[in-house]
Every structure is written in C-alpha cells, then in structure tokens.
Amino acid sequence: ELKVEQNPLFLSMQEGKNYTIYCNYSTTSDRLYWYRQDPGKSLESLFVLLSNGAVKQEGRLMASLDTKARLSTLHITAAVHDLSATYFCAGDTSGTYKYIFGTGTRLKVLA
Amino acid sequence: DVKVTQSSRYLVKRTGEKVFLECVQDMDHENMFWYRQDPGLGLRLIYFSYDVKMKEKGDIPEGYSVSREKKERFSLILESASTNQTSMYLCASRSSGGNTIYFGEGSWLTVV
C-alpha cells in the first residue's frame, strides 16, 4: 500500500532564503500532488505532477517529480512571509480512488 | 469557480449523539471523499464515493458511515459520537477523469 512521507515536519526560515521540502513515497504513484493549507483553512491545490521528470513552477515555488527515486520536491526560492503555511504532498494509484497524504510540513518564514 | 461547501463549520456535540456532516459540490463531480485531519497525522481517508449510491471504506471507517443519494451531496454520519472523533473533517470532490481534488472549508467537530 502507498505510504507518503514528508520531511521536514517543521521548517523555520528567514526571508530571502531558499529551502526544499521532500516527499518520499513507497510504491508506484501515478500522480503526485502538492497542497497548501493556511491555519484554519482548507487545502488549496498547488501542483499536480503527472510523469517522471515533471517540473512545475508558480512564483517562488517549484515542484519536481522523480518516479525512479520515488521522490518529489517542493523548492522555495527567496522565501517571503506570505509563504508561511502547511504544505502537503499526496499520491494516488491508478485503479483506486485513494489519495494518500503526507503528514505535512509546517513552514514559517521569519521577517 | 469550483465550489465544495460544508454546511457546518463548527459543531459541538455530546458523546453518544448522532452527527451529520453535509457536503455539497457544484461541479458535477463523480468522486467525493471524506477525510479527517489531526495534528501530526495529516489527512486520513474515512470514506469515498466514486458515484451516486456507491461508497468504499477508506483507512479509518470505524465509527462512521456515509450516504450519497444524489451526485452533488455526500454526507458523513457519526452514529454515536465519541470524544476521539473530535477533529477537523474535510470533504473533497474530483471529476473521475480529473487530476485535482477540491476541498471544502472543513468542519471542526468537538465531542464533549
């Protein structure tokens, strides 16, 4: 069964710095998703990665997928305070309707 | 714009009460999901429905049931609420051919 692990669980970083959140998954996943959640709010879709080598970018966030290593990364460039949130990755497997989420990475960007 | 609406945002219920959490989506999506979110545990799937009147258990179905009589509505039922069901509940939906699942705003349930 698919398992998804994220690290780190907590991340405190200075504005202007770069950092990467890692998402490892245990078995084949057809798609890899990244979501953002602000405190007390729902989850907002950031990226859907569909194939090996996929890279997507939106503003200061860039996500990539390496299916051979079963690894996805979310890279933050020159962090700003507005990026403070919890970030989740999730995978799914063809033929099922189950999306398995990681435990989330709580990011705090300090001014 | 995509809309998944959870009618109850904050509820406080007593142990043993029957609780209904309602979710409505306006996107004609076939698939709907109920998750619960707890600190340190991420999101865990309770039940999902891949079409009207169809349902399957997720990873933590014990103590819960669901109903999907109409395509747009997916209800989560706690037959006899217990304190360990205090949590945030998230409903989501997805088109069967789509890549993205859309979440509602969440329902915060406290069982006392």
Side-chain angles (χ1 to χ4, degrees), chain A residues 1 31 33 35 37 40-43 45 48 50 88 92 97-103, chain B residues 9 31 33 35 37 40 42-43 45 48 50 59 90 94 98-101 103-105:
Chain A
E1 181 162 307
R31 291 168 283 208
Y33 306 81
Y35 283 83
Q37 185 180 38
K41 302 286 188 181
S42 189
L43 277 74
S45 176
V48 181
L50 299 176
F88 290 92
D92 70 345
Y97 297 89
K98 292 175 69 170
Y99 293 77
I100 305 299
F101 282 80
T103 53
Chain B
R9 291 298 315 277
N31 308 151
F33 309 82
Y35 288 88
Q37 184 178 12
L43 276 73
L45 181 64
F48 61 96
Y50 46 92
D59 296 318
L90 286 160
R94 187 193 74 147
N99 291 324
T100 301
I101 50 176
F103 283 87
E105 290 288 307

Side-chain angles (χ1 to χ4, degrees), chain B residues 55-95:
Chain B
K55 60 187 179 186
E56 284 200 29
K57 294 179 180 179
D59 296 318
I60 52 164
E62 296 79 18
Y64 304 95
S65 62
V66 290
S67 172
R68 186 136 181 235
E69 295 297 316
K70 293 185 178 182
K71 193 174 187 181
E72 67 271 18
R73 188 179 298 270
F74 192 35
S75 303
L76 180 69
I77 304 153
L78 288 67
E79 294 291 341
S80 178
S82 63
T83 54
N84 63 11
Q85 292 178 308
T86 291
S87 187
M88 178 172 177
Y89 291 87
L90 286 160
C91 175
S93 73
R94 187 193 74 147
S95 166

Side-chain angles (χ1 to χ4, degrees), chain B residues 24-43:
Chain B
V24 176
Q25 50 96 1
D26 64 359
M27 298 160 285
D28 203 36
H29 285 171
E30 292 80 13
N31 308 151
M32 295 187 75
F33 309 82
W34 276 105
Y35 288 88
R36 68 176 277 178
Q37 184 178 12
D38 300 288
L41 297 176
L43 276 73

